[in-house]
Amino acid sequence: MYDLATGTLKNRITSGEGPISQIVRVDEKARTLHVIGLGREKGQDPYFRHAYRVGLDGKGYVSLTPDDGDHTVQISPSGKYLVDTYSTCEKPPVVVLRDAAAR
């Protein structure tokens, strides 16, 4: 995260294995991001997408889609729920309603 006035780095929001490919939701009130990352789940295909929640301070990094598979998510307008659709080459799509505040 960068200071808009000075352009200096305030703090890193994410770090570790695999890239973040997409920001799905920004919750300014709760100061959190919902993001899509790849290659972060041990023992899973590094090309599978997973959803995560992380604080803007870089703390509280949580996986919201732990199941093995490539995930796409839709987050409710309130940010309380997400619809997780995931599959693998061997398994057909599964759709799960998840509590986005959990874990």
Side-chain angles (χ1 to χ4, degrees):
M1 179 168 25
Y2 289 88
D3 184 301
L4 287 176
T6 65
T8 58
L9 179 66
K10 291 174 104 175
N11 64 281
R12 289 185 63 99
I13 296 175
T14 64
S15 63
E17 294 293 318
I20 298 299
S21 64
Q22 181 181 6
I23 296 173
V24 180
R25 183 171 191 273
V26 178
D27 186 335
E28 292 179 19
K29 185 176 179 181
R31 297 197 46 81
T32 59
L33 291 177
H34 288 82
V35 299
I36 301 297
L38 294 92
R40 294 178 165 262
E41 300 296 324
K42 300 272 188 231
Q44 293 190 32
D45 186 313
Y47 294 102
F48 285 169
R49 297 168 292 175
H50 286 271
Y52 302 91
R53 184 184 65 243
V54 62
L56 292 177
D57 60 1
K59 296 178 183 169
Y61 202 91
V62 176
S63 173
L64 299 174
T65 55
D67 298 301
D68 189 17
D70 185 43
H71 297 258
T72 57
V73 296
Q74 296 174 324
I75 299 178
S76 67
S78 69
K80 186 173 181 180
Y81 301 103
L82 65 88
V83 176
D84 176 18
T85 305
Y86 66 96
S87 64
T88 68
C89 292
E90 296 83 28
K91 292 188 266 183
V94 175
V95 179
V96 179
L97 177 64
R98 298 186 187 273
D99 182 346
R103 299 195 193 262

Coordinates of all heavy atoms in Angstrom, one line a residue:
M1 N 0.9 -1.2 0.0 CA 0.0 0.0 0.0 C 0.9 1.2 0.0 O 1.9 1.3 0.7 CB -0.9 0.0 1.2 CG -1.8 1.2 1.2 SD -3.2 1.2 2.4 CE -2.8 0.2 3.7
Y2 N 0.6 2.2 -0.8 CA 1.4 3.4 -1.0 C 0.6 4.6 -0.5 O -0.6 4.7 -0.6 CB 1.7 3.6 -2.5 CG 2.8 2.6 -2.9 CD1 2.4 1.4 -3.5 CD2 4.1 2.9 -2.8 CE1 3.3 0.5 -3.9 CE2 5.0 1.9 -3.3 CZ 4.6 0.7 -3.8 OH 5.6 -0.2 -4.2
D3 N 1.3 5.6 0.0 CA 0.8 6.9 0.4 C 0.5 7.6 -0.9 O 1.4 7.9 -1.6 CB 1.8 7.6 1.3 CG 1.2 8.9 1.9 OD1 0.9 9.8 1.0 OD2 1.2 9.1 3.1
L4 N -0.7 8.1 -1.1 CA -1.0 8.8 -2.3 C -0.4 10.1 -2.4 O -0.1 10.6 -3.5 CB -2.6 8.9 -2.5 CG -3.3 7.6 -2.9 CD1 -4.8 7.9 -2.9 CD2 -2.9 7.1 -4.2
A5 N -0.2 10.8 -1.3 CA 0.4 12.1 -1.3 C 1.9 12.1 -1.6 O 2.4 12.9 -2.4 CB 0.1 12.8 0.0
T6 N 2.6 11.1 -1.1 CA 4.1 11.1 -1.2 C 4.6 10.0 -2.1 O 5.7 10.1 -2.6 CB 4.7 10.9 0.1 OG1 4.4 9.6 0.7 CG2 4.3 12.0 1.1
G7 N 3.7 9.0 -2.4 CA 4.2 7.9 -3.2 C 5.1 6.9 -2.5 O 5.6 6.0 -3.1
T8 N 5.3 7.0 -1.2 CA 6.1 6.1 -0.4 C 5.3 4.9 0.0 O 4.1 5.0 0.3 CB 6.7 6.8 0.8 OG1 5.7 7.3 1.6 CG2 7.6 8.0 0.4
L9 N 6.0 3.8 0.1 CA 5.4 2.5 0.6 C 5.1 2.6 2.0 O 5.9 2.9 2.9 CB 6.4 1.4 0.3 CG 5.9 0.0 0.8 CD1 4.8 -0.5 -0.1 CD2 7.1 -1.0 0.7
K10 N 3.8 2.4 2.3 CA 3.3 2.4 3.7 C 3.6 1.0 4.3 O 4.1 0.9 5.4 CB 1.9 2.7 3.8 CG 1.6 4.2 3.5 CD 0.1 4.5 3.5 CE -0.3 5.2 4.7 NZ -1.7 5.6 4.7
N11 N 3.1 -0.1 3.6 CA 3.3 -1.4 4.1 C 2.9 -2.4 3.0 O 2.2 -2.1 2.1 CB 2.5 -1.8 5.3 CG 1.0 -1.7 5.1 OD1 0.4 -0.6 5.1 ND2 0.3 -2.8 4.9
R12 N 3.5 -3.6 3.0 CA 3.1 -4.7 2.1 C 1.8 -5.3 2.6 O 1.6 -5.5 3.7 CB 4.2 -5.7 2.0 CG 5.5 -5.3 1.4 CD 6.5 -6.4 1.3 NE 5.9 -7.5 0.4 CZ 6.2 -7.7 -0.8 NH1 7.1 -6.9 -1.4 NH2 5.7 -8.7 -1.5
I13 N 0.9 -5.5 1.6 CA -0.3 -6.2 2.0 C -0.2 -7.7 1.8 O -0.7 -8.4 2.7 CB -1.5 -5.6 1.1 CG1 -1.7 -4.1 1.4 CG2 -2.8 -6.4 1.4 CD1 -2.7 -3.4 0.6
T14 N 0.4 -8.2 0.8 CA 0.6 -9.6 0.6 C 2.1 -9.9 0.4 O 2.9 -9.1 0.1 CB -0.1 -10.1 -0.7 OG1 0.4 -9.5 -1.8 CG2 -1.6 -9.8 -0.6
S15 N 2.4 -11.2 0.7 CA 3.8 -11.7 0.5 C 3.7 -13.2 0.4 O 2.6 -13.7 0.7 CB 4.7 -11.2 1.6 OG 4.3 -11.8 2.9
G16 N 4.7 -13.9 0.1 CA 4.7 -15.3 0.1 C 4.6 -15.9 -1.3 O 4.8 -15.2 -2.3
E17 N 4.3 -17.2 -1.3 CA 4.3 -17.9 -2.5 C 3.1 -17.5 -3.5 O 2.0 -17.1 -3.0 CB 4.0 -19.4 -2.2 CG 5.2 -20.1 -1.5 CD 6.4 -20.1 -2.4 OE1 6.3 -20.4 -3.6 OE2 7.5 -19.9 -1.8
G18 N 3.4 -17.5 -4.7 CA 2.3 -17.3 -5.7 C 1.9 -15.8 -5.9 O 1.9 -15.1 -4.9
P19 N 1.4 -15.5 -7.1 CA 1.0 -14.1 -7.3 C -0.5 -13.9 -6.9 O -1.3 -14.8 -6.8 CB 1.1 -13.9 -8.8 CG 0.9 -15.3 -9.3 CD 1.5 -16.2 -8.3
I20 N -0.8 -12.6 -6.7 CA -2.2 -12.2 -6.5 C -2.7 -11.8 -7.9 O -2.0 -10.9 -8.5 CB -2.4 -11.1 -5.5 CG1 -2.0 -11.5 -4.1 CG2 -3.8 -10.6 -5.5 CD1 -2.7 -12.7 -3.6
S21 N -3.7 -12.4 -8.5 CA -4.1 -12.1 -9.8 C -5.2 -11.1 -9.9 O -5.5 -10.5 -11.0 CB -4.5 -13.4 -10.6 OG -5.6 -14.0 -10.0
Q22 N -6.0 -10.9 -8.8 CA -7.2 -10.1 -8.9 C -7.6 -9.6 -7.5 O -7.5 -10.3 -6.6 CB -8.3 -10.9 -9.5 CG -9.6 -10.2 -9.7 CD -10.7 -11.1 -10.3 OE1 -10.5 -12.3 -10.5 NE2 -11.8 -10.5 -10.6
I23 N -8.0 -8.4 -7.4 CA -8.7 -7.8 -6.3 C -10.2 -8.0 -6.5 O -10.7 -7.4 -7.5 CB -8.3 -6.4 -6.0 CG1 -6.8 -6.3 -5.6 CG2 -9.1 -5.8 -4.8 CD1 -6.3 -4.9 -5.5
V24 N -10.9 -8.7 -5.7 CA -12.3 -9.0 -5.9 C -13.2 -7.9 -5.2 O -14.2 -7.5 -5.7 CB -12.7 -10.4 -5.4 CG1 -14.1 -10.7 -5.6 CG2 -11.8 -11.4 -6.1
R25 N -12.7 -7.5 -4.0 CA -13.6 -6.6 -3.2 C -12.7 -5.9 -2.2 O -11.7 -6.4 -1.7 CB -14.6 -7.4 -2.4 CG -15.6 -6.5 -1.6 CD -16.7 -7.4 -1.0 NE -17.7 -6.6 -0.5 CZ -17.7 -6.1 0.8 NH1 -16.8 -6.4 1.6 NH2 -18.7 -5.4 1.2
V26 N -13.0 -4.6 -2.1 CA -12.3 -3.8 -1.1 C -13.3 -3.3 0.0 O -14.4 -2.8 -0.4 CB -11.6 -2.5 -1.7 CG1 -11.0 -1.7 -0.6 CG2 -10.6 -2.9 -2.7
D27 N -13.1 -3.7 1.2 CA -14.0 -3.2 2.3 C -13.3 -2.2 3.1 O -12.5 -2.4 3.9 CB -14.4 -4.4 3.2 CG -15.4 -4.1 4.2 OD1 -15.6 -2.9 4.6 OD2 -16.1 -5.0 4.7
E28 N -13.6 -0.9 2.8 CA -13.0 0.2 3.4 C -13.3 0.3 4.9 O -12.4 0.6 5.7 CB -13.3 1.5 2.7 CG -12.8 1.6 1.3 CD -13.2 2.9 0.6 OE1 -13.6 3.9 1.3 OE2 -13.1 2.9 -0.7
K29 N -14.5 0.0 5.2 CA -14.9 0.0 6.7 C -14.1 -1.0 7.5 O -13.6 -0.6 8.6 CB -16.4 -0.2 6.8 CG -16.9 0.0 8.2 CD -18.5 -0.1 8.2 CE -19.0 0.0 9.6 NZ -20.4 -0.1 9.7
A30 N -14.1 -2.2 7.0 CA -13.4 -3.3 7.7 C -11.9 -3.2 7.5 O -11.1 -4.0 8.1 CB -13.9 -4.6 7.4
R31 N -11.4 -2.4 6.5 CA -10.0 -2.3 6.0 C -9.5 -3.7 5.6 O -8.4 -4.1 6.1 CB -9.2 -1.7 7.1 CG -9.6 -0.2 7.4 CD -8.6 0.6 8.1 NE -7.3 0.6 7.7 CZ -6.8 1.2 6.6 NH1 -7.5 2.0 5.9 NH2 -5.5 1.1 6.3
T32 N -10.2 -4.4 4.7 CA -9.8 -5.7 4.2 C -9.9 -5.7 2.7 O -10.7 -5.0 2.1 CB -10.6 -6.8 4.8 OG1 -12.0 -6.6 4.5 CG2 -10.4 -7.0 6.3
L33 N -9.2 -6.7 2.1 CA -9.3 -7.0 0.7 C -9.7 -8.4 0.5 O -9.3 -9.3 1.3 CB -7.9 -6.8 0.0 CG -7.3 -5.5 -0.2 CD1 -5.9 -5.6 -0.8 CD2 -8.2 -4.6 -1.0
H34 N -10.5 -8.7 -0.5 CA -10.7 -10.1 -0.9 C -10.0 -10.2 -2.3 O -10.2 -9.4 -3.2 CB -12.2 -10.3 -1.1 CG -13.0 -10.4 0.2 ND1 -13.4 -9.3 0.8 CD2 -13.4 -11.5 0.9 CE1 -14.1 -9.7 1.9 NE2 -14.0 -11.0 2.0
V35 N -9.1 -11.2 -2.4 CA -8.3 -11.3 -3.5 C -8.3 -12.7 -4.1 O -8.6 -13.7 -3.4 CB -6.8 -10.9 -3.2 CG1 -6.7 -9.4 -2.8 CG2 -6.2 -11.8 -2.2
I36 N -7.8 -12.9 -5.3 CA -7.6 -14.2 -5.9 C -6.1 -14.4 -6.1 O -5.4 -13.5 -6.6 CB -8.3 -14.3 -7.3 CG1 -9.8 -14.0 -7.2 CG2 -8.0 -15.6 -8.0 CD1 -10.6 -15.0 -6.4
G37 N -5.6 -15.5 -5.5 CA -4.2 -15.8 -5.6 C -4.0 -17.2 -6.2 O -4.9 -18.1 -6.2
L38 N -2.8 -17.4 -6.7 CA -2.4 -18.7 -7.3 C -1.2 -19.3 -6.6 O -0.3 -18.5 -6.2 CB -2.2 -18.6 -8.8 CG -3.3 -18.2 -9.7 CD1 -3.4 -16.7 -9.8 CD2 -3.2 -18.8 -11.0
G39 N -1.1 -20.6 -6.6 CA 0.1 -21.3 -6.1 C 0.4 -21.1 -4.6 O 1.5 -21.2 -4.1
R40 N -0.7 -20.8 -3.8 CA -0.5 -20.6 -2.4 C -0.9 -21.8 -1.5 O -0.6 -21.9 -0.3 CB -1.3 -19.4 -1.9 CG -0.7 -18.1 -2.5 CD -1.5 -16.9 -2.1 NE -0.7 -15.7 -2.5 CZ 0.0 -15.0 -1.6 NH1 0.0 -15.4 -0.3 NH2 0.7 -14.0 -1.9
E41 N -1.7 -22.7 -2.1 CA -2.2 -23.9 -1.3 C -1.2 -25.1 -1.5 O -1.1 -25.6 -2.6 CB -3.6 -24.3 -1.8 CG -4.6 -23.2 -1.6 CD -4.8 -22.8 -0.1 OE1 -4.8 -23.7 0.7 OE2 -5.0 -21.6 0.1
K42 N -0.6 -25.5 -0.4 CA 0.3 -26.7 -0.5 C -0.3 -27.9 -1.0 O -1.5 -28.2 -0.7 CB 0.9 -27.0 0.9 CG 1.6 -25.8 1.6 CD 3.0 -25.8 1.2 CE 3.8 -24.8 2.0 NZ 4.6 -23.9 1.2
G43 N 0.4 -28.6 -1.9 CA -0.1 -29.9 -2.4 C -1.2 -29.8 -3.5 O -1.7 -30.8 -4.0
Q44 N -1.5 -28.5 -3.9 CA -2.5 -28.3 -5.0 C -1.8 -27.8 -6.2 O -0.7 -27.2 -6.1 CB -3.6 -27.4 -4.5 CG -4.5 -28.0 -3.4 CD -5.7 -27.1 -3.1 OE1 -6.2 -26.5 -4.0 NE2 -6.1 -27.1 -1.9
D45 N -2.5 -27.9 -7.3 CA -2.0 -27.4 -8.6 C -1.7 -25.9 -8.5 O -2.6 -25.2 -8.0 CB -3.0 -27.7 -9.7 CG -2.6 -27.3 -11.1 OD1 -2.0 -26.2 -11.3 OD2 -2.8 -28.1 -12.0
P46 N -0.5 -25.5 -8.8 CA -0.2 -24.0 -8.6 C -0.9 -23.1 -9.5 O -0.9 -21.9 -9.4 CB 1.3 -24.0 -8.9 CG 1.6 -25.2 -9.7 CD 0.6 -26.2 -9.3
Y47 N -1.7 -23.7 -10.5 CA -2.5 -22.8 -11.4 C -3.9 -22.7 -11.0 O -4.7 -21.9 -11.5 CB -2.4 -23.4 -12.8 CG -1.0 -23.3 -13.4 CD1 -0.2 -24.4 -13.5 CD2 -0.6 -22.1 -13.9 CE1 1.1 -24.3 -14.0 CE2 0.7 -22.0 -14.4 CZ 1.5 -23.1 -14.5 OH 2.8 -23.0 -15.0
F48 N -4.3 -23.4 -9.9 CA -5.6 -23.3 -9.4 C -5.8 -21.9 -8.6 O -4.9 -21.5 -7.9 CB -5.9 -24.4 -8.4 CG -6.2 -25.7 -9.0 CD1 -6.3 -26.8 -8.2 CD2 -6.4 -25.9 -10.3 CE1 -6.6 -28.1 -8.7 CE2 -6.7 -27.1 -10.9 CZ -6.8 -28.2 -10.1
R49 N -6.9 -21.2 -8.9 CA -7.2 -20.0 -8.3 C -7.9 -20.2 -7.0 O -8.8 -21.1 -6.9 CB -8.0 -19.1 -9.2 CG -7.4 -18.7 -10.5 CD -8.3 -18.1 -11.5 NE -9.2 -19.2 -11.9 CZ -10.3 -19.0 -12.7 NH1 -10.6 -17.9 -13.1 NH2 -11.0 -20.1 -13.0
H50 N -7.6 -19.4 -5.9 CA -8.2 -19.5 -4.6 C -8.5 -18.1 -4.2 O -7.8 -17.2 -4.5 CB -7.3 -20.2 -3.6 CG -7.2 -21.7 -3.8 ND1 -8.1 -22.6 -3.2 CD2 -6.4 -22.4 -4.5 CE1 -7.8 -23.8 -3.6 NE2 -6.8 -23.8 -4.4
A51 N -9.6 -18.0 -3.3 CA -9.9 -16.7 -2.8 C -9.3 -16.5 -1.4 O -9.3 -17.5 -0.6 CB -11.4 -16.5 -2.7
Y52 N -8.9 -15.3 -1.0 CA -8.4 -15.0 0.3 C -8.9 -13.7 0.8 O -9.3 -12.8 0.0 CB -6.8 -14.9 0.2 CG -6.2 -16.2 -0.3 CD1 -5.9 -16.3 -1.7 CD2 -5.8 -17.2 0.5 CE1 -5.4 -17.5 -2.2 CE2 -5.3 -18.4 0.1 CZ -5.0 -18.5 -1.3 OH -4.5 -19.6 -1.8
R53 N -8.8 -13.5 2.1 CA -9.1 -12.2 2.7 C -7.9 -11.8 3.5 O -7.2 -12.6 4.1 CB -10.3 -12.3 3.7 CG -10.7 -11.0 4.3 CD -11.8 -11.1 5.3 NE -11.4 -11.9 6.4 CZ -11.9 -13.1 6.8 NH1 -12.9 -13.7 6.1 NH2 -11.4 -13.7 7.9
V54 N -7.5 -10.5 3.4 CA -6.4 -10.0 4.1 C -6.6 -8.6 4.5 O -7.3 -7.8 3.8 CB -5.1 -10.1 3.2 CG1 -5.2 -9.3 1.9 CG2 -3.8 -9.7 4.0
G55 N -6.1 -8.2 5.6 CA -6.2 -6.8 6.1 C -5.3 -5.9 5.3 O -4.3 -6.3 4.8
L56 N -5.7 -4.6 5.2 CA -4.9 -3.6 4.5 C -3.5 -3.4 5.2 O -2.6 -2.9 4.6 CB -5.6 -2.3 4.4 CG -6.8 -2.3 3.4 CD1 -7.5 -1.0 3.4 CD2 -6.4 -2.7 2.0
D57 N -3.4 -3.9 6.5 CA -2.2 -3.8 7.2 C -1.3 -5.0 6.9 O -0.2 -5.1 7.4 CB -2.4 -3.6 8.7 CG -3.2 -4.8 9.3 OD1 -3.5 -5.8 8.6 OD2 -3.4 -4.8 10.5
G58 N -1.8 -5.9 6.1 CA -1.0 -7.2 5.7 C -1.2 -8.3 6.7 O -0.6 -9.4 6.5
K59 N -2.0 -8.1 7.7 CA -2.3 -9.1 8.7 C -3.6 -9.8 8.5 O -4.5 -9.3 7.8 CB -2.3 -8.5 10.1 CG -0.9 -7.9 10.4 CD -0.9 -7.3 11.8 CE 0.4 -6.6 12.0 NZ 0.4 -5.8 13.2
G60 N -3.8 -11.0 9.1 CA -5.0 -11.7 9.0 C -5.3 -12.4 7.6 O -6.4 -12.5 7.2
Y61 N -4.2 -12.9 7.0 CA -4.3 -13.5 5.7 C -5.1 -14.9 5.9 O -4.6 -15.7 6.6 CB -3.0 -13.8 5.1 CG -2.9 -13.9 3.6 CD1 -2.8 -12.8 2.8 CD2 -3.1 -15.1 3.0 CE1 -2.7 -12.9 1.4 CE2 -3.1 -15.3 1.6 CZ -2.9 -14.2 0.9 OH -2.9 -14.3 -0.5
V62 N -6.3 -15.0 5.2 CA -7.1 -16.2 5.4 C -7.5 -16.8 4.1 O -8.0 -16.0 3.2 CB -8.3 -15.8 6.3 CG1 -9.3 -17.0 6.4 CG2 -7.9 -15.3 7.6
S63 N -7.4 -18.1 3.9 CA -8.0 -18.8 2.8 C -9.5 -18.9 2.9 O -10.0 -19.4 4.0 CB -7.4 -20.1 2.6 OG -8.0 -20.8 1.6
L64 N -10.3 -18.5 1.9 CA -11.7 -18.6 2.0 C -12.2 -19.8 1.1 O -13.4 -20.2 1.2 CB -12.3 -17.3 1.4 CG -12.0 -16.1 2.2 CD1 -12.6 -14.8 1.5 CD2 -12.5 -16.2 3.6
T65 N -11.3 -20.4 0.4 CA -11.7 -21.5 -0.5 C -10.6 -22.6 -0.4 O -9.8 -22.8 -1.3 CB -11.7 -21.0 -2.0 OG1 -10.5 -20.4 -2.3 CG2 -12.9 -20.0 -2.2
P66 N -10.6 -23.4 0.7 CA -9.6 -24.4 0.9 C -9.6 -25.7 0.1 O -8.6 -26.3 0.0 CB -9.8 -24.7 2.4 CG -11.2 -24.5 2.6 CD -11.6 -23.3 1.8
D67 N -10.8 -25.9 -0.5 CA -11.0 -27.2 -1.2 C -10.1 -27.3 -2.4 O -9.8 -26.2 -3.1 CB -12.4 -27.4 -1.6 CG -13.3 -27.5 -0.4 OD1 -13.1 -28.4 0.4 OD2 -14.2 -26.7 -0.3
D68 N -9.6 -28.5 -2.8 CA -8.7 -28.7 -3.9 C -9.5 -28.4 -5.2 O -10.6 -29.0 -5.4 CB -8.2 -30.1 -3.9 CG -7.1 -30.3 -5.0 OD1 -6.6 -29.3 -5.5 OD2 -6.8 -31.5 -5.3
G69 N -9.1 -27.5 -6.0 CA -9.7 -27.2 -7.3 C -9.5 -25.7 -7.7 O -8.9 -25.0 -7.0
D70 N -9.9 -25.4 -8.9 CA -9.8 -24.1 -9.5 C -11.1 -23.3 -9.1 O -12.2 -23.8 -9.5 CB -9.6 -24.1 -11.0 CG -9.3 -22.8 -11.6 OD1 -8.6 -22.0 -11.0 OD2 -9.9 -22.5 -12.6
H71 N -11.0 -22.2 -8.4 CA -12.2 -21.6 -7.8 C -12.5 -20.3 -8.5 O -11.6 -19.5 -8.9 CB -11.9 -21.2 -6.3 CG -11.7 -22.4 -5.5 ND1 -12.7 -22.9 -4.7 CD2 -10.6 -23.2 -5.3 CE1 -12.2 -24.0 -4.0 NE2 -11.0 -24.2 -4.4
T72 N -13.8 -20.0 -8.7 CA -14.3 -18.7 -9.0 C -15.3 -18.3 -7.9 O -16.0 -19.2 -7.4 CB -15.0 -18.7 -10.4 OG1 -16.1 -19.6 -10.4 CG2 -14.0 -19.0 -11.5
V73 N -15.3 -17.0 -7.6 CA -16.2 -16.6 -6.5 C -17.0 -15.4 -6.8 O -16.6 -14.6 -7.7 CB -15.4 -16.3 -5.2 CG1 -14.7 -17.6 -4.7 CG2 -14.4 -15.2 -5.4
Q74 N -18.1 -15.3 -6.2 CA -19.0 -14.2 -6.3 C -19.3 -13.8 -4.8 O -19.8 -14.6 -4.1 CB -20.3 -14.5 -7.0 CG -20.1 -14.8 -8.5 CD -21.4 -15.2 -9.1 OE1 -22.2 -15.9 -8.5 NE2 -21.6 -14.9 -10.3
I75 N -19.0 -12.5 -4.5 CA -19.2 -12.1 -3.1 C -20.4 -11.3 -3.0 O -20.7 -10.4 -3.9 CB -17.9 -11.3 -2.6 CG1 -16.7 -12.2 -2.7 CG2 -18.2 -10.7 -1.2 CD1 -15.4 -11.5 -2.3
S76 N -21.2 -11.5 -2.0 CA -22.5 -10.8 -1.8 C -22.2 -9.3 -1.6 O -21.1 -8.9 -1.2 CB -23.2 -11.3 -0.6 OG -22.6 -11.0 0.6
P77 N -23.1 -8.4 -1.9 CA -22.9 -7.0 -1.8 C -22.5 -6.6 -0.3 O -21.7 -5.7 -0.2 CB -24.3 -6.3 -2.1 CG -24.9 -7.3 -3.1 CD -24.4 -8.7 -2.6
S78 N -23.0 -7.3 0.7 CA -22.6 -7.0 2.0 C -21.2 -7.5 2.4 O -20.6 -7.1 3.4 CB -23.6 -7.6 3.0 OG -23.5 -9.1 3.0
G79 N -20.7 -8.4 1.6 CA -19.4 -9.0 1.8 C -19.5 -10.2 2.8 O -18.4 -10.7 3.2
K80 N -20.7 -10.5 3.3 CA -20.8 -11.5 4.3 C -20.7 -13.0 3.8 O -20.3 -13.9 4.4 CB -22.1 -11.3 5.1 CG -22.3 -12.3 6.2 CD -23.5 -11.9 7.0 CE -23.6 -12.9 8.2 NZ -24.8 -12.6 9.0
Y81 N -21.2 -13.1 2.5 CA -21.2 -14.5 1.9 C -20.5 -14.5 0.6 O -20.3 -13.4 -0.1 CB -22.6 -14.9 1.7 CG -23.5 -15.0 2.9 CD1 -24.4 -14.0 3.2 CD2 -23.3 -16.0 3.8 CE1 -25.1 -14.0 4.4 CE2 -24.0 -16.1 5.0 CZ -24.9 -15.0 5.3 OH -25.7 -15.1 6.4
L82 N -20.0 -15.7 0.2 CA -19.5 -15.8 -1.2 C -20.0 -17.1 -1.7 O -20.1 -18.1 -1.0 CB -18.0 -15.7 -1.2 CG -17.1 -16.7 -0.5 CD1 -16.8 -17.9 -1.5 CD2 -15.8 -16.1 -0.2
V83 N -20.2 -17.1 -3.0 CA -20.6 -18.3 -3.8 C -19.3 -18.8 -4.4 O -18.7 -18.1 -5.2 CB -21.7 -18.0 -4.8 CG1 -22.0 -19.3 -5.6 CG2 -23.0 -17.5 -4.2
D84 N -18.9 -20.0 -4.0 CA -17.7 -20.6 -4.5 C -18.0 -21.7 -5.5 O -18.6 -22.7 -5.1 CB -16.9 -21.1 -3.3 CG -15.6 -21.8 -3.7 OD1 -15.1 -21.7 -4.8 OD2 -15.1 -22.5 -2.8
T85 N -17.5 -21.6 -6.7 CA -17.7 -22.6 -7.7 C -16.3 -23.2 -8.1 O -15.4 -22.4 -8.4 CB -18.4 -22.1 -9.0 OG1 -19.6 -21.5 -8.6 CG2 -18.6 -23.3 -10.0
Y86 N -16.1 -24.5 -7.9 CA -14.7 -25.0 -8.1 C -14.8 -26.4 -8.8 O -15.8 -27.1 -8.6 CB -13.9 -25.0 -6.8 CG -14.4 -26.0 -5.8 CD1 -13.9 -27.3 -5.7 CD2 -15.4 -25.6 -4.9 CE1 -14.3 -28.1 -4.7 CE2 -15.8 -26.5 -3.9 CZ -15.3 -27.7 -3.8 OH -15.7 -28.6 -2.8
S87 N -13.7 -26.7 -9.5 CA -13.6 -28.0 -10.1 C -12.2 -28.4 -10.4 O -11.3 -27.5 -10.2 CB -14.4 -28.0 -11.4 OG -13.9 -27.1 -12.3
T88 N -12.0 -29.6 -10.8 CA -10.7 -30.0 -11.3 C -10.9 -30.8 -12.6 O -12.1 -31.0 -13.0 CB -9.9 -31.0 -10.4 OG1 -10.7 -32.2 -10.3 CG2 -9.8 -30.4 -9.0
C89 N -9.9 -31.2 -13.3 CA -10.1 -32.0 -14.5 C -10.8 -33.3 -14.3 O -11.5 -33.8 -15.1 CB -8.7 -32.3 -15.2 SG -7.9 -30.8 -15.8
E90 N -10.6 -33.8 -13.0 CA -11.2 -35.1 -12.7 C -12.6 -35.0 -12.0 O -13.3 -36.0 -11.9 CB -10.3 -35.9 -11.7 CG -8.9 -36.3 -12.3 CD -7.9 -35.2 -12.3 OE1 -8.0 -34.3 -11.4 OE2 -7.1 -35.1 -13.2
K91 N -12.9 -33.8 -11.4 CA -14.1 -33.6 -10.7 C -15.0 -32.6 -11.4 O -14.5 -31.5 -11.8 CB -13.8 -33.2 -9.3 CG -13.2 -34.2 -8.4 CD -13.1 -33.8 -7.0 CE -11.8 -33.1 -6.7 NZ -11.6 -32.7 -5.3
P92 N -16.3 -32.8 -11.5 CA -17.2 -31.8 -12.0 C -17.3 -30.6 -11.1 O -17.0 -30.7 -9.9 CB -18.5 -32.6 -12.2 CG -18.5 -33.6 -11.2 CD -17.0 -34.0 -11.0
P93 N -17.9 -29.5 -11.6 CA -18.1 -28.3 -10.7 C -18.9 -28.6 -9.5 O -19.9 -29.3 -9.5 CB -18.7 -27.3 -11.6 CG -18.4 -27.7 -13.0 CD -18.3 -29.2 -12.9
V94 N -18.5 -28.0 -8.4 CA -19.2 -28.0 -7.1 C -19.5 -26.5 -6.8 O -18.6 -25.7 -6.9 CB -18.3 -28.6 -6.0 CG1 -19.0 -28.5 -4.7 CG2 -18.0 -30.1 -6.4
V95 N -20.7 -26.2 -6.3 CA -21.0 -24.9 -5.9 C -21.3 -24.9 -4.4 O -22.1 -25.7 -3.9 CB -22.3 -24.4 -6.7 CG1 -22.6 -23.0 -6.2 CG2 -22.0 -24.4 -8.2
V96 N -20.7 -24.0 -3.6 CA -20.8 -23.9 -2.2 C -21.1 -22.5 -1.8 O -20.4 -21.6 -2.3 CB -19.5 -24.4 -1.5 CG1 -19.6 -24.4 0.0 CG2 -19.1 -25.8 -1.9
L97 N -22.0 -22.3 -0.8 CA -22.2 -21.0 -0.2 C -21.3 -20.9 1.0 O -21.5 -21.8 1.9 CB -23.7 -20.8 0.1 CG -24.0 -19.5 0.8 CD1 -23.7 -18.3 -0.1 CD2 -25.5 -19.5 1.3
R98 N -20.5 -20.0 1.1 CA -19.5 -19.9 2.2 C -19.7 -18.6 3.0 O -20.1 -17.6 2.4 CB -18.1 -19.9 1.8 CG -17.7 -21.2 1.0 CD -16.3 -21.3 0.7 NE -15.9 -22.4 -0.1 CZ -15.6 -23.6 0.4 NH1 -15.6 -23.8 1.7 NH2 -15.3 -24.6 -0.4
D99 N -19.4 -18.6 4.3 CA -19.4 -17.4 5.1 C -18.0 -16.7 4.9 O -17.0 -17.2 5.2 CB -19.5 -17.8 6.6 CG -19.6 -16.7 7.6 OD1 -19.2 -15.5 7.2 OD2 -19.9 -16.9 8.7
A100 N -18.1 -15.5 4.2 CA -16.8 -14.8 3.9 C -16.1 -14.3 5.1 O -15.0 -13.9 5.0 CB -17.1 -13.7 2.9
A101 N -16.8 -14.2 6.2 CA -16.1 -13.7 7.4 C -15.5 -14.8 8.3 O -14.8 -14.5 9.2 CB -17.1 -12.9 8.3
A102 N -15.7 -16.0 7.9 CA -15.2 -17.2 8.7 C -13.8 -17.4 8.5 O -13.1 -16.8 7.6 CB -16.0 -18.4 8.3
R103 N -13.2 -18.3 9.3 CA -11.9 -18.8 9.3 C -11.0 -17.9 10.1 O -10.5 -17.0 9.9 CB -11.4 -19.1 7.9 CG -12.3 -20.1 7.3 CD -11.7 -20.7 6.1 NE -12.6 -21.5 5.4 CZ -12.8 -22.8 5.5 NH1 -12.0 -23.5 6.2 NH2 -13.7 -23.4 4.8

